[in-house]
Amino acid sequence: MSLPPHTFNFTKLLVGDLDRSAAFYEAVFGLQRLAVVEDAIAGRAIREVMYQPTQEGGATFVILSFLDAPEPVMGETITGFTVADLDQTLSDVMANGGAIADPVREMPEMGIRVGFARDPEGHLIEIVQMLG
């Protein structure tokens, strides 16, 4: 199977505490580890956790920490997840050290309910539940 010339394939989220972030995303969204990689980018040591796509043909989510740097600047990305039960997921966010960033909004014109949360390091997560 050949890929088109431009294909979205993964998102890498820069974090300060890789183990804490991994525990959060695994507990809240049920992500399954594909690999843990220790390498270097532009001469800087990194450690990253790669997750299996959550659906066939889906993108890979990766959390990455530069080992020589303090916590990264917030706002560099917003990660999005589609879930079956938004309210339960937001409860899981809170139970695992995250926070609610915005109240849930019903958007029937788009066929969704949407909420924004923050992971334990303050990164924004858009969480969508399909209506109907």
Side-chain angles (χ1 to χ4, degrees):
M1 171 177 149
S2 67
L3 294 174
H6 302 287
T7 303
F8 173 73
N9 199 21
F10 61 88
T11 293
K12 288 191 177 189
L13 178 66
L14 299 179
V15 300
D17 187 332
L18 189 69
D19 293 330
R20 182 172 127 194
S21 293
F24 175 84
Y25 283 98
E26 290 166 15
V28 174
F29 297 106
L31 298 181
Q32 301 294 310
R33 289 183 187 204
L34 184 62
V36 176
V37 176
E38 294 186 20
D39 203 346
I41 296 175
R44 296 176 65 196
I46 62 129
R47 186 166 175 253
E48 65 184 11
V49 177
M50 300 173 63
Y51 290 101
Q52 296 177 8
T54 56
Q55 63 185 8
E56 187 174 333
T60 302
F61 179 60
V62 179
I63 53 176
L64 178 144
S65 183
F66 283 102
L67 301 181
D68 66 351
E71 301 209 6
V73 175
M74 292 303 116
E76 76 284 355
T77 190
I78 297 174
T79 305
F81 290 89
T82 301
V83 300
D85 185 337
L86 179 57
D87 298 316
Q88 180 60 56
T89 301
L90 291 173
S91 178
D92 293 344
V93 164
M94 298 292 290
N96 286 280
I100 306 303
D102 273 335
V104 172
R105 292 190 313 247
E106 301 276 339
M107 302 178 78
E109 70 280 4
M110 297 182 69
I112 63 171
R113 293 177 72 221
V114 62
F116 284 85
R118 292 192 181 276
D119 75 6
E121 292 193 358
H123 301 286
L124 277 173
I125 309 164
E126 182 174 352
I127 306 170
V128 175
Q129 176 182 339
M130 305 306 291
L131 295 174

